Amino acid sequence: MVPLSFAGEEWLLTEGRALYWPREQALLVADLHLEKGSFFAKHGQMVPPYDSRETLERVALAIRETGARRVITLGDNFHDSDGSARLEPHACGMLEALTKAVDWVWITGNHDPDMDARCGGTLAEELEIGGVILRHRAQKGETRPELSGHYHPRLQLKVRQRMIRRPCAVVSANEGTGGRPSGRMILPAFGAYTGGMNAADPAILKALQPADRIDAVVPAAGKLARFNLWHRAA
């Protein structure tokens, strides 16, 4: 885990694509897309059906690593609103154990607006905690501190003629009103079967406006590596 300054306090970004908020003892994860494998199978694309187990094992590991007492998901928890009904008994048991062990809140996303929390946890469209807005999709024009998911950002770098792609968070900085710094962050997708979008894609940069600069951040060798994606012209 590496420290990350955001919204006037210190957070921890894990190697496993999760964000830990020490003050709230909360683990934040985005875009689990549980039961994506069974969704594909239902539509004739046969893939291994164990993605939910793998994703939930990753969540359990992140809880152990951080000591989190709360888990807040940032939408697209299931690949579709019927996904919770397809969750096989073993994975549902894993999920029930997790939702009993910690205070668990599902923020719903565009893939699962009508999901059923049948294996535990509570549902919300968005939350505000300690002045930070938690929602699935970044809201263009938002000037308050905001955490979201949706875009599955990945850093793309060409190193020695090789293209490297790695999940990353995207953070904007904005002086805001009255000279008080603020910012917004899009978390990487956490699920086992989630792809990614170039962190510098115009859709991501547009979603985080207004901003003075936008960076991709990723843990690397125990430190936070930061790559500028966009900055306001002087």
Side-chain angles (χ1 to χ4, degrees), residues 4-216:
L4 170 63
S5 296
F6 175 75
E9 55 187 292
E10 290 298 308
W11 306 62
L12 294 170
L13 190 61
T14 77
E15 296 280 352
R17 312 180 199 175
L19 182 69
Y20 181 61
W21 192 354
R23 176 167 64 85
E24 297 293 331
Q25 295 183 291
L27 182 76
L28 294 105
V29 291
D31 298 280
L32 302 180
H33 283 269
L34 298 170
E35 291 306 301
K36 187 172 183 177
S38 64
F39 177 86
F40 281 170
K42 188 171 68 171
H43 292 83
Q45 295 177 263
M46 305 309 295
V47 295
Y50 305 114
D51 55 303
S52 294
R53 294 188 189 189
E54 181 179 343
T55 298
L56 293 172
E57 286 171 357
R58 292 181 184 180
V59 175
L61 176 60
I63 292 172
R64 291 195 298 271
E65 288 179 340
T66 60
R69 303 291 296 274
R70 305 174 73 185
V71 170
I72 303 170
T73 71
L74 297 180
D76 286 359
N77 311 295
F78 286 85
H79 193 64
D80 62 292
S81 289
D82 294 330
S84 59
R86 296 196 307 275
L87 200 64
E88 46 95 6
H90 181 82
C92 187
M94 293 172 67
L95 182 53
E96 287 176 338
L98 291 173
T99 57
K100 288 177 182 177
V102 297
D103 176 21
W104 189 292
V105 179
W106 304 99
I107 291 176
T108 52
N110 58 290
H111 271 260
D112 53 6
D114 302 312
M115 71 165 280
D116 182 357
R118 65 181 61 206
C119 297
T122 58
L123 295 167
E125 289 187 10
E126 64 178 56
L127 294 174
E128 180 176 356
I129 300 176
V132 180
I133 308 298
L134 310 178
R135 56 169 58 110
H136 175 58
R137 187 170 185 171
Q139 184 171 301
K140 185 182 177 183
E142 180 65 80
T143 58
R144 298 168 294 177
E146 175 196 71
L147 289 169
S148 64
H150 181 68
Y151 289 100
H152 303 202
R154 286 191 175 213
L155 179 65
Q156 295 187 186
L157 292 175
K158 195 170 186 178
V159 179
R160 296 177 183 176
Q161 305 303 312
R162 290 181 58 197
M163 184 62 71
I164 296 175
R165 297 177 176 86
R166 186 171 178 184
C168 67
V170 179
V171 183
S172 71
N174 182 21
E175 288 301 318
T177 58
R180 294 184 61 188
S182 64
R184 299 158 71 198
M185 187 187 317
I186 297 173
L187 295 188
F190 193 88
Y193 279 2
T194 50
M197 174 187 284
N198 183 356
D201 190 282
I204 293 178
L205 303 183
K206 183 178 180 180
L208 290 175
Q209 299 298 332
D212 295 316
R213 65 178 289 131
I214 300 174
D215 296 332

